[in-house]
Amino acid sequence: MGGDEVTPIVDPSRSEPFLLDTHALVWSVEESPRLGSAAKRAINSAAQFNQLAVSAISLWEVALLVSKGRLSLSTDAIVWVRDALSKPGFNLVPLEPEIAVASTRLPFEMNSDPADRIIVATARNLGATLVTADRELLKLSKKGHFRGIDASK
């Protein structure tokens, strides 16, 4: 993080912002039992205070997974995405230049998956807690690189 951060879309004075990893977004919208009860409470609380963020890259990732047959949705991907974003408290975080560049300059080692890197950079930029079940991302969170909670718990 540094002096070139974008202004957060959420108001940290009202509640702690949460950013959904792609699978957490899908689990939340689809009301999957894979979403843990603690994560669900955190998501619902964040949404109540308009503090729930979704990275634009997650929408791309959902559509990509559908196009590759790795994710099945009850509606067309664009309809699903629009419905997800219309849920109360869900806020789209665009891929701002600062986030894109920050994703290439993370001050720690992590996988090279561009979506993961952008999601982590977005969480750091917003000062948000990342809701994820990704074991590698949770390990990075435990090392203090960003806040995270396990989406499966």
Side-chain angles (χ1 to χ4, degrees), residues 27-46:
W27 294 353
S28 178
V29 170
E30 295 291 313
E31 299 181 3
S32 170
R34 296 180 75 180
L35 184 65
S37 58
K40 186 175 183 175
R41 279 192 307 276
I43 290 168
N44 289 341
S45 177

Side-chain angles (χ1 to χ4, degrees), residues 16-144:
E16 181 178 353
F18 283 81
L19 175 69
L20 298 177
D21 199 349
T22 304
H23 57 272
L25 169 65
V26 172
W27 294 353
S28 178
V29 170
E30 295 291 313
E31 299 181 3
S32 170
R34 296 180 75 180
L35 184 65
S37 58
K40 186 175 183 175
R41 279 192 307 276
I43 290 168
N44 289 341
S45 177
Q48 179 182 5
F49 290 101
N50 201 35
Q51 298 289 303
L52 193 58
V54 176
S55 172
I57 200 71
S58 289
L59 307 180
W60 171 84
E61 203 168 19
V62 165
L64 181 65
L65 291 170
V66 169
S67 74
K68 290 185 171 190
R70 293 179 48 205
L71 177 63
S72 179
L73 302 172
S74 56
T75 61
D76 184 68
I78 190 63
V79 173
W80 188 93
V81 163
R82 291 197 186 283
D83 286 347
L85 291 176
S86 72
K87 292 193 172 296
F90 280 57
N91 295 285
L92 177 62
V93 181
L95 180 52
E96 299 287 349
E98 293 81 1
I99 292 171
V101 172
S103 75
T104 70
R105 297 178 177 172
L106 296 171
F108 49 88
E109 292 296 319
M110 72 171 284
N111 71 52
S112 61
D113 179 344
D116 281 353
R117 295 181 72 84
I118 289 168
I119 289 168
V120 166
T122 302
R124 288 170 53 91
N125 179 271
L126 295 176
T129 297
L130 179 60
V131 182
T132 185
D134 183 307
R135 296 289 161 229
E136 294 304 313
L137 296 182
L138 289 170
K139 285 180 190 175
L140 290 170
S141 169
K142 286 181 182 171
K143 290 181 179 179

